Amino acid sequence: MNSLRAAVVVGVWLLQPSAASPTLFEGARLIVGDGSAPIDNSAFIVEHNRFTQIGRKGRLKAPAGARRVDLTGKTVIPALVDAHVHLGYRKGMSFSAENYTRDNLLETLDRFAYCGVAAVLEAGTGRGDLPFQVRSDARSSARYLTAGSGFAMPNAGPGVPMRDAAFGVTTEAQARENVRTLISKRPDLIKIWVDDRNGTVEKLKPALYRAIIDEAHANHVRVMAHIAALDDAKDLLRAGVDGFAHVVRDRDIDDELLAMLKERAAVFFVETLWGERQAIYQGKPAWVDESIARDLLSTQEIVQLADSFATASAPTPAQRGNAQRLLRNVGRLNTAGVKLGLGTDTGGVTGGQYFGLASLVELELLVRAGLTPAQALVAATRNSAAILGLEELGTVAAGKSADFLVLDANPLVDIGNTRRISSVYSRGGELNRAALRTQWAGR
Ligand SMILES: [Zn+2]
């Protein structure tokens, strides 16, 4: 196969085109992504962009002519999935609906791919038909899923400048009609906002979210709710919601909620701890000065990020208390065995423009909430892929798409080692991360 030509066909971002010829990767510690013990000194074979065999070094029978890649001393984990992001509005330091262009969406997907995030869900702030067009465009480096336009009361959904992206509904008939309009574009999920934003906007009425959930389910589409309050989480569960875009933040979760969740094992939460990073860290975290931040961000952006953790902008005792309660709630859901995925809200009001970096840091925050590193990795891989219905991602297993990260150190020892990325493979091909760095440095 002419590798140069193949590289052009699949996109400039692939160093090794996703070759049809088989490749044997051997010697790495392999974390499969299902919570099982890692395979030390592993071997796995990738052929036609997919994993075909997984086992121990020396035990697999490589097909004739297989290329060999020595990963001795490295750790392999499945590619990550971020199930709550907002694409298109952020571009460097700028945050505006004017940035919502095809080029900006594609560049943002490259940033996720650079960090080993193989898929993201745009959580209800898509604009027009563009997200659906980009989703079906095979050129994007990370898979792009979209909830299109989400639902709220008029002018009461996502934060400005994303606010006008949502459907504003006031009657059940209108809500159902808008759901049908959205479903004709085949959204991957439907997003609703059920939050009065500390009394500043009108919260989506229960009769309206019941109509939305009912209409969505009649069309076999699931509904994910933005919430803050415990009581809203409970009523949404009674209404049949499929999952939550955040964790309860107003109170400690109680036994009643846990009992309701036990009845419905498929219900998921993505935690978006990243949004509370200043209050959780209480000081500048180590990753602000790591090379991966410099790879992704301009000097000016790093200064802004460091400043956001500085004493002058230190969180108040109340904010710290809220963050501690959120961590407690996540820990409690985890202990109860509730399905947790990874989501960051990157690109939104609290998420900032830290695409990809935030997904990696969220793993560290999940560990702060009480998950083991192995549990955090399962949340970010297998669980998030399942939440988004991406059967080809989530674990390193025969038949799955060969999307994985090669790390320089073991994340089970220190989850921060997920940021020490040696290489990223997308659909069996190695991502040309150096080319992406060059491209971004030239801006
Ligand atoms: Zn969001």
Side-chain angles (χ1 to χ4, degrees):
M1 173 184 244
N2 181 327
S3 63
L4 182 63
R5 197 175 122 241
V8 170
V9 171
V10 297
V12 293
W13 40 271
L14 278 185
L15 189 62
Q16 295 290 344
S18 41
S21 61
T23 305
L24 171 65
F25 295 87
E26 48 186 12
R29 174 186 300 103
L30 173 61
I31 297 171
V32 168
D34 63 359
S36 61
I39 303 171
D40 290 324
N41 205 16
S42 72
F44 56 93
I45 294 170
V46 172
E47 196 168 1
H48 298 296
N49 315 335
R50 294 192 178 261
F51 299 112
T52 55
Q53 295 180 55
I54 289 105
R56 290 189 187 280
K57 185 177 174 183
R59 303 273 180 86
L60 301 187
K61 193 167 168 12
R67 198 165 64 90
R68 281 170 189 266
V69 177
D70 181 14
L71 297 180
T72 304
K74 308 288 187 188
T75 300
V76 167
I77 62 173
L80 311 178
V81 173
D82 192 326
H84 185 161
V85 303
H86 298 281
L87 300 186
Y89 298 83
R90 299 260 186 192
K91 187 176 185 181
M93 310 278 273
S94 152
F95 189 25
S96 162
E98 287 173 15
N99 291 330
Y100 202 91
T101 63
R102 175 189 156 78
D103 283 351
N104 194 32
L105 291 172
L106 289 172
E107 184 188 312
T108 303
L109 290 169
D110 285 343
R111 290 174 184 274
F112 280 109
Y114 185 86
C115 296
V117 180
V120 298
L121 174 73
E122 177 177 64
T125 49
R127 300 183 80 79
D129 289 331
L130 188 58
F132 298 97
Q133 289 160 4
V134 174
R135 178 179 65 175
S136 60
D137 185 335
R139 263 193 53 206
S140 55
S141 48
R143 294 161 184 80
Y144 176 40
L145 282 73
T146 180
S149 300
F151 290 81
M153 302 302 285
N155 202 29
V160 176
M162 309 183 294
R163 185 148 287 177
D164 64 340
F167 288 106
V169 294
T170 54
T171 70
E172 292 173 46
Q174 180 199 10
R176 286 180 184 274
E177 189 187 321
N178 289 343
V179 169
R180 287 193 293 270
T181 300
L182 175 60
I183 282 177
S184 70
K185 301 179 185 181
R186 297 192 304 107
D188 295 286
L189 277 170
I190 285 179
K191 170 79 178 287
I192 58 176
W193 282 267
V194 182
D195 187 358
D196 68 2
R197 310 268 186 190
N198 294 319
T200 60
V201 299
E202 192 180 4
K203 191 190 290 185
L204 186 62
K205 293 191 170 92
L208 295 175
Y209 61 67
R210 280 182 164 76
I212 292 165
I213 292 168
D214 184 61
E215 193 66 37
H217 287 179
N219 289 282
H220 313 290
V221 180
R222 291 171 302 148
V223 177
M224 174 167 91
H226 164 114
I227 48 137
L230 178 64
D231 289 343
D232 292 326
K234 288 178 182 174
D235 193 58
L236 281 156
L237 283 168
R238 287 182 207 108
V241 78
D242 299 283
F244 296 95
H246 302 282
V247 167
V248 169
R249 291 168 278 179
D250 68 327
R251 287 159 54 189
D252 279 273
I253 59 175
D254 60 13
D255 291 340
E256 187 188 21
L257 181 76
L258 294 177
M260 294 175 84
L261 290 167
K262 202 168 184 181
E263 295 296 308
R264 297 196 46 214
V267 170
F268 62 85
F269 286 81
V270 298
E271 293 72 49
T272 61
L273 298 172
W274 168 257
E276 307 298 325
R277 58 197 173 279
Q278 283 99 351
I280 293 173
Y281 281 110
Q282 299 180 39
K284 191 174 80 169
W287 46 261
V288 174
D289 298 315
E290 289 175 353
S291 61
I292 191 151
R294 294 191 295 278
D295 294 348
L296 293 157
L297 303 169
S298 68
T299 306
Q300 193 185 13
E301 288 173 287
I302 291 175
V303 168
Q304 182 196 48
L305 183 59
D307 280 352
S308 74
F309 290 102
T311 329
S313 57
T316 63
Q319 287 167 329
R320 287 205 300 271
N322 289 343
Q324 290 307 311
R325 184 173 53 226
L326 175 61
L327 291 172
R328 264 197 316 276
N329 283 345
V330 172
R332 207 146 172 230
L333 291 173
N334 181 53
T335 303
V338 174
K339 187 189 281 183
L340 302 181
L342 181 136
T344 55
D345 228 343
T346 316
V349 175
T350 59
Q353 75 276 30
Y354 311 106
F355 302 105
L357 176 64
S359 312
L360 294 167
V361 171
E362 183 77 13
L363 285 161
E364 178 169 303
L365 297 173
L366 288 171
V367 170
R368 288 203 175 211
L371 279 72
T372 64
Q375 287 173 330
L377 288 169
V378 169
T381 58
R382 185 192 68 185
N383 288 2
S384 284
I387 287 166
L388 299 191
L390 290 166
E391 288 174 12
E392 66 172 5
L393 293 178
T395 58
V396 176
K400 300 262 188 187
S401 181
D403 288 69
F404 58 96
L405 287 83
V406 179
L407 305 176
D408 286 328
N410 183 358
L412 299 177
V413 172
D414 177 353
I415 194 67
N417 287 335
T418 48
R419 300 188 299 269
R420 296 178 60 187
I421 299 172
S422 172
S423 53
V424 170
Y425 283 78
S426 171
R427 300 176 181 89
E430 185 182 351
L431 196 70
N432 191 345
R433 298 174 82 238
L436 287 172
R437 280 196 297 273
T438 304
Q439 189 180 315
W440 298 331
R443 299 265 157 107

